[in-house]
């Protein structure tokens, strides 16, 4: 009873009911399989309806639990421990939503919500194998559900604080709203090919599972790829790390399943078209899902807390994750060991220069990359017995994956010209001659632009060959309106583009650290940078630096990198300014700002609520204090720093323009006071230099009206020019677009199986 008293019962009950309905659905599907094996179709149909109702109730309960947590976050109900840990009064609404998946419990819940929703269309798509597939799929959902029952997200605090801890400053970005949910859709989708494979092995019905699982494997590949794209773009555009991929364990946790998923979809394609690799595909379907579970253990058990900037701290679920992995590993090993020897598959008799052989070599290359990344990510575990466990650095991944990327580009460059029966060497070279010629021209152009490293020139040639060859094939298929067959080649065009973009933007970027004196032009390469002014915070817009960037061709623009201190954690945060041009990105990341002497205070106004004073050409009206953040007295009593905003209306007498400003008066129990200035419309600064909440009076200090905020400041920045990085993003778009084409085509084919 004491445990119940510390739970928000509406939320906890939905999870407990989900367990009950999930067990009921599982029992119903078990009975369905028993009656199907006995040939009692009427009884099987009755139990199937019961199981479907149970699953619908399970999905409803889990979705309701997610809705309740979202509602508690939106209402800022700090009685709930999870809301208190990841939410705060100052967060805008979309960050309140993002707080849902900011912590361990919420991320497991959104994963489960996505999983149960995917199960609804899966019931129909499974066809005659519904009972087995859904039974296995429900077991995968139970792994998440039992974690949430044990570590309930609806735990209540004994006393409700006035405010929450807020969202991690690194997560306060618009990408946080969409990137994690997409990632968890991809994780949830990885269980579907696994469910098809396990059910097929259990029922010893291995003829149709690949065709049914194929579109789901493609869809999972597509969604997880989108999530990886979003994560890389987020890191590059917002976090100021200067790159899109750092080989961090949490990044690798999504990459390994995606690479294995790439191997799986190619294997399923070969099984459907050539009747081959039926055993390998069953192994791969298991490995994709098991890699998701293993990656979850690495990143959420706390074992990598000292090695990853993303890793979650220990939640107390390590043992449960280990048991979950062990259960599915043992189940997979048992079924594979007992079923694989009996599976008939077509022997691989393809000649070396054939489409089938090159596709197999390509998938082996991708699989080796997945294994290398998995081993590197597991280094802290593999060295745990040592006194000082270690991790491998980015150089390990770059060096080991570069030869594999070369091999992949070579194989992709010739696949479009090969037939299943094989293509003779002279005929192959004759068909590939246009692509080879264009690749040689691209390599010569790269050499002319300064690429001298022979290894890099070889990489350019092979990547360009892969791009041109597959583009040639894509255009031919588009002309013949073979849209479904076009998807794979389009994706391979994207791979070639990605390879070129990765090499150019990483090996040939130019970076320089500069100190900019305010108002003084500073040249770096073909750029001239002039730091004009520091812009104080305005509403939700953080403190920015205004820098004029002039190029040698005469064009110029204003860059606004951000450098600010988080109000809660006191962390210094930097957001870069990225200007994307046709052939390169100009990436300006702030490092340090040293303000010059502040402008003299020209006017000090003491105003009551609603009082207006005219200063030079401005009408200044103090409207009121903004107490939406809660009672300052209670916040101060709880030891928190109080940020008390004042609402000030500024009207320009000459133009009639009206602006609403909100200067902040920040103080704590020790008497420390901060009053950061805000920028006045037209120039100058205003600060809330004193308050008297009892009488409603404030003191406003204004200076340099109509002028700049300060002079003589210094700004240190990192300026990087990244050539051809657009090829990376466009290439990944093409990979995903090609996957979308293929997914739609394969889903249409899957619908015809039962017809």
């Amino acid at each position: 009873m004491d445990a119940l008293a510390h739970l928000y019962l509406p939320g906890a009950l939905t999870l407990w009911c989900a367990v009950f309905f999930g067990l009921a659905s599982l029992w119903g599907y078990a009975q369905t399989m028993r009656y199907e094996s006995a040939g009692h179709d009427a009884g099987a149909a009755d139990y199937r309806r019961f199981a479907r109702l149970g699953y619908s109730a399970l999905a409803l309960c889990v979705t309701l639990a997610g809705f309740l947590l979202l509602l508690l976050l939106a209402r800022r109900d700090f009685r709930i421990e999870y809301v208190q840990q990841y939410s705060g009064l100052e967060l805008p609404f979309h960050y309140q939503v993002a707080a849902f998946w900011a912590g361990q419990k919420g991320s497991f819940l959104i994963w489960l919500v996505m999983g149960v929703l995917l199960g609804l269309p899966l019931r129909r798509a499974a066809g005659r194998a519904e009972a087995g597939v859904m039974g296995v799929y429900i077991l995968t959902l139970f792994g998440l559900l039992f974690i949430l029952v044990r570590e309930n997200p609806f735990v209540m605090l004994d006393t409700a604080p006035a405010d929450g801890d807020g969202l991690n400053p690194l997560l306060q970005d618009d990408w946080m709203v969409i990137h994690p949910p997409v990632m968890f859709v991809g994780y949830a989708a990885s269980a579907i090919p696994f469910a098809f494979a396990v059910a097929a092995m259990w029922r010893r019905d291995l003829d149709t599972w690949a065709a049914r699982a194929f579109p789901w494997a493609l869809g999972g590949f597509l969604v997880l790829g989108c999530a990886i794209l979003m994560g890389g773009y987020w890191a590059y555009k917002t976090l100021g790390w200067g790159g899109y991929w750092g080989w961090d364990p949490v990044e690798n946790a999504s990459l390994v399943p995606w690479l294995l998923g790439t191997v799986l979809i190619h294997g399923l394609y070969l099984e459907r078209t050539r009747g081959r690799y039926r055993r390998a595909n069953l192994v791969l379907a298991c490995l994709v899902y098991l890699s998701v579970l293993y990656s979850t253990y690495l990143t959420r058990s706390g074992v990598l807390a000292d090695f990853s900037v993303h890793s979650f701290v220990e939640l107390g679920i390590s043992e449960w994750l280990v048991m979950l992995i062990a259960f599915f590993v043992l189940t997979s090993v048992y079924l594979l060991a007992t079923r694989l020897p009996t599976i008939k598959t077509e022997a691989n008799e393809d000649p070396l220069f054939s489409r089938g052989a090159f596709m197999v070599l390509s998938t082996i290359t991708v699989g080796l990359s997945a294994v290398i990344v998995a081993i590197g990510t597991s280094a802290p575990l593999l060295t745990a017995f040592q006194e000082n466990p270690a991790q491998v650095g980015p150089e390990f991944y770059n060096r080991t994956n570069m030869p594999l990327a070369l091999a992949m580009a070579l194989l992709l460059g010739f696949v479009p010209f090969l037939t299943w029966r094989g293509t003779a060497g002279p005929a192959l070279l004759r068909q590939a001659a246009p692509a080879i010629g264009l690749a040689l021209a691209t390599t010569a152009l790269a050499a002319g632009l300064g690429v001298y490293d022979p290894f890099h020139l070889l990489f350019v040639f092979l990547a360009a060959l892969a791009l041109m060859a597959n583009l040639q094939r894509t255009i031919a298929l588009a002309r013949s309106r073979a849209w479904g067959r076009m998807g794979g080649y389009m994706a391979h065009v994207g791979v070639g583009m990605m390879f070129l973009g990765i090499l150019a933007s990483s090996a040939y970027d130019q970076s320089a650290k500069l100190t900019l004196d305010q108002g003084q032009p500073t040249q770096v390469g073909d750029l001239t940078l002039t730091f004009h002014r520091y812009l104080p915070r305005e509403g939700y817009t953080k403190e920015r630096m205004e820098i004029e960037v002039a190029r040698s061709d005469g064009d110029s623009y204003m860059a606004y990198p951000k450098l600010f201190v988080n109000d809660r954690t006191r962390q210094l945060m930097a957001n870069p300014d990225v200007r994307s041009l046709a052939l390169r990105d100009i990436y300006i990341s702030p490092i340090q700002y040293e303000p010059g002497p502040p402008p003299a205070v020209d006017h000090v106004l003491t105003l009551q609520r609603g009082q207006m004073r005219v200063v030079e050409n401005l009408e200044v009206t103090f409207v009121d204090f903004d107490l939406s953040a809660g009672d300052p007295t209670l916040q101060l009593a709880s030891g928190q720093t109080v940020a008390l905003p004042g609402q000030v209306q500024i009207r320009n007498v000459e133009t009639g323009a009206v602006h609403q400003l909100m200067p902040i008066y920040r103080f704590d129990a020790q008497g420390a006071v901060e009053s950061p200035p805000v920028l006045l419309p037209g120039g100058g600064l205003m600060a809330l230099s004193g308050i008297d909440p009892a009488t409603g009076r404030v003191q406003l200090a204004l200076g340099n009206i109509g002028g700049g905020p300060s002079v003589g400041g210094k700004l240190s920045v990192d300026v990087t020019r990244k050539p051809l990085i657009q090829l990376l993003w466009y290439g990944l778009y093409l990979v995903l677009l090609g996957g979308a084409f293929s997914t739609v085509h394969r889903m249409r084919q899957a619908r015809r199986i039962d017809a």
Side-chain angles (χ1 to χ4, degrees):
M1 293 300 293
D2 184 58
L4 290 178
H6 287 81
L7 289 175
Y8 179 70
L9 284 181
L13 282 172
T14 57
L15 294 176
W16 296 334
C17 289
V19 172
F20 172 78
F21 289 120
L23 290 172
S25 181
L26 193 61
W27 178 81
Y29 279 123
Q31 295 300 312
T32 302
M33 286 191 290
R34 185 167 71 89
Y35 275 83
E36 284 177 343
S37 62
H40 297 300
D41 294 339
D46 290 338
Y47 279 111
R48 188 181 300 110
R49 282 192 293 271
F50 175 83
R52 288 176 176 176
L53 286 173
Y55 187 84
S56 297
L58 162 67
L60 177 63
C61 289
V62 170
T63 306
L64 184 58
F67 174 77
L68 285 173
L69 184 58
L70 190 62
L71 184 63
L72 292 168
L73 285 163
R75 294 182 57 193
R76 296 171 171 84
D77 192 338
F78 299 123
R79 297 174 302 162
I80 309 301
E81 182 183 50
Y82 189 84
V83 177
Q84 184 273 329
Q85 290 174 336
Y86 298 102
S87 178
L89 290 171
E90 86 289 353
L91 289 179
F93 178 75
H94 61 297
Y95 290 160
Q96 292 289 147
V97 173
F100 187 121
W101 39 83
Q104 290 252 48
K105 298 176 182 179
S107 57
F108 278 120
L109 181 55
I110 191 66
W111 184 352
L112 181 60
V113 170
M114 298 303 180
V116 296
L117 294 178
L118 283 177
L120 295 173
L122 176 62
R123 292 183 303 188
R124 175 175 296 184
R128 291 188 297 268
E130 177 186 345
V133 171
M134 290 302 298
V136 177
Y137 189 67
I138 291 171
L139 287 176
T140 66
L141 297 177
F142 270 154
L144 301 172
L145 185 55
F146 287 153
I147 288 175
L148 290 168
V149 170
R150 176 177 173 177
E151 298 295 332
N152 203 296
F154 297 102
V155 173
M156 298 185 68
L157 299 170
D158 293 329
T159 57
D163 197 358
D165 292 339
L167 193 62
N168 186 318
L170 290 175
L171 302 181
Q172 293 186 30
D173 187 84
D174 292 346
W175 286 109
M176 179 61 183
V177 181
I178 55 176
H179 165 61
V182 175
M183 181 73 71
F184 288 120
V185 172
Y187 281 176
S190 70
I192 295 179
F194 174 77
F196 274 107
V198 171
M201 289 189 288
W202 183 264
R203 298 170 63 244
R204 299 181 185 272
D205 182 7
L206 297 159
D207 293 330
T208 62
W209 84 272
R212 293 192 178 280
F214 194 12
W216 292 97
L218 270 171
F221 162 85
L222 182 65
V223 173
L224 198 54
C226 283
I228 292 172
L229 169 63
M230 291 177 183
Y233 199 72
W234 178 7
Y236 176 68
K237 285 288 232 181
T238 306
L239 298 179
W241 295 342
Y244 42 80
W245 196 263
W247 296 109
D248 185 85
V250 171
E251 294 174 334
N252 297 346
S254 58
L255 180 63
V256 171
W258 191 63
L259 292 174
L260 291 174
T262 305
V263 179
L264 176 61
I265 60 178
H266 286 81
L268 291 173
Y269 173 77
L270 287 171
E271 178 172 346
R272 292 203 59 212
T273 56
R274 312 297 292 171
R276 296 172 183 170
Y277 311 109
R278 299 179 71 193
R279 301 187 187 113
N281 287 333
L282 292 168
V283 175
L284 285 168
C286 295
L287 283 178
V288 171
Y289 178 62
L290 293 175
S291 69
V292 169
L293 292 182
Y294 178 64
S295 299
T296 301
Y297 169 74
L298 285 181
T299 57
R300 295 176 181 274
S301 64
V303 298
L304 298 182
D306 296 330
F307 302 96
S308 171
V309 298
H310 298 91
S311 184
F312 289 87
V313 297
E314 170 63 76
L315 186 64
I317 59 173
S318 299
E319 298 81 0
W320 176 250
L321 286 173
V322 170
M323 289 190 294
L324 188 64
I325 294 171
F327 172 76
F328 286 113
V329 166
L330 292 174
T331 301
S332 302
V333 169
Y334 168 75
L335 290 173
L336 291 170
T338 56
R339 297 331 191 239
L340 289 189
T342 65
I343 298 174
K344 294 181 180 180
T345 184
E346 293 292 329
N348 183 9
E349 299 177 351
D350 293 334
L352 177 59
F353 289 98
S354 67
R355 182 175 299 178
F358 269 49
M359 286 186 68
V360 171
L361 291 173
S362 299
T363 56
I364 290 174
T365 303
V366 176
L368 284 174
S369 178
V371 171
I372 289 171
V373 175
I375 292 174
T377 308
S378 304
L381 281 183
L382 299 176
T383 59
F385 60 91
Q386 298 179 354
E387 183 177 352
N388 295 311
Q391 67 173 340
V392 298
E395 189 63 24
F396 165 81
Y397 298 104
N398 294 333
R399 288 194 174 192
T400 53
N401 279 286
M402 178 61 79
L404 297 177
L406 285 171
M408 172 64 65
L410 174 64
L411 293 166
L412 292 182
F414 288 101
V415 163
F417 309 112
L418 295 171
T419 64
W420 293 110
R421 294 181 179 180
T423 304
L428 176 61
L429 291 176
R430 186 168 54 253
Q431 295 179 54
I436 293 174
L438 290 172
L440 286 172
T442 303
T443 307
L445 177 62
L449 293 174
V451 179
Y452 304 125
D453 188 309
F455 195 73
H456 289 172
L457 288 172
L458 175 62
F459 190 91
V460 170
F461 170 74
L462 293 176
L465 177 62
L467 191 161
M468 300 302 178
N470 285 276
L471 180 61
Q472 180 180 332
R473 183 63 172 164
T474 301
I475 293 173
L477 290 171
R479 286 175 175 172
S480 61
R481 298 184 181 276
W483 309 114
R485 295 171 54 202
M486 190 178 71
Y489 295 105
M490 185 187 300
H492 294 162
V493 172
V495 172
M497 292 182 67
M498 286 176 60
F499 283 168
L500 290 173
I502 290 171
L503 177 68
S505 63
S506 58
Y508 293 92
D509 63 338
Q510 297 175 318
S511 182
K513 290 181 171 58
L514 308 173
T515 298
L516 305 177
D517 292 315
Q518 189 169 357
Q520 300 297 317
T522 303
Q523 189 163 356
V524 52
D526 62 342
L527 303 176
T528 301
L529 277 66
T530 306
F531 169 44
H532 285 306
R533 56 178 178 165
Y534 161 86
L535 299 176
R537 186 175 308 191
E538 294 184 82
Y540 290 125
T541 302
K542 305 298 185 182
E543 292 86 344
R544 299 170 295 157
M545 313 298 170
E546 185 176 82
I547 303 172
E548 182 180 359
V549 182
R551 308 205 311 266
S552 57
D553 59 6
D555 289 341
S556 64
Y557 68 93
M558 289 296 182
Y560 292 95
K562 298 176 183 176
L563 190 67
F564 58 95
V565 176
N566 181 265
D567 292 333
R568 290 178 177 272
T569 65
R570 312 309 299 167
Q571 290 176 267
L572 183 65
M573 309 295 297
N575 294 157
D577 180 278
V578 182
R579 177 57 60 103
S580 295
L581 306 176
L583 298 177
R584 62 175 175 170
D585 276 6
I586 300 174
Y587 192 99
I588 302 176
S589 183
I591 302 172
Q592 183 179 4
Y593 172 59
E594 298 178 10
V601 175
D602 300 322
H603 306 276
V604 177
L605 307 180
T606 301
L607 302 176
Q608 293 182 334
R609 288 186 180 92
Q611 186 177 359
M612 184 269 289
R613 291 273 299 276
V614 177
V615 179
E616 298 187 17
N617 65 333
L618 300 178
E619 290 181 355
V620 182
T621 305
F622 172 57
V623 180
D624 202 350
F625 294 106
D626 181 2
L627 300 178
S628 61
D631 187 338
T633 305
L634 293 177
Q635 296 177 46
L636 203 61
S638 63
Q640 301 181 48
T641 297
V642 177
L644 186 59
Q647 299 174 339
V648 179
Q649 177 178 292
I650 303 293
R651 179 179 177 272
N652 189 299
V653 176
E654 298 173 355
T655 66
V658 177
H659 301 268
Q660 304 294 331
L661 303 183
M662 194 170 290
I664 295 175
Y665 189 83
R666 191 179 294 117
F667 56 97
D668 59 26
Q670 285 71 43
V673 172
E674 289 181 315
S675 53
V678 296
L679 186 66
L680 287 168
L685 295 175
M686 177 176 67
L688 187 57
S689 56
I691 63 169
D692 186 352
T695 62
R697 291 191 300 177
V698 297
Q699 189 177 76
L700 298 175
L702 295 85
N704 201 25
I705 296 176
S710 63
V711 293
K714 294 179 181 291
L715 175 64
S716 298
V717 295
D718 189 341
V719 181
T720 305
R721 286 155 291 175
K722 294 182 176 291
L724 300 182
I725 194 171
Q726 306 304 330
L727 290 179
L728 169 64
W729 307 121
Y730 295 150
L732 193 45
Y733 296 152
L734 279 177
V735 170
L736 300 177
L737 183 60
F741 268 89
S742 296
T743 301
V744 172
H745 179 65
R746 301 307 172 188
M747 282 185 170
R748 289 175 177 173
Q749 289 183 330
R751 293 193 191 105
R752 305 190 190 109
I753 293 175
D754 287 333

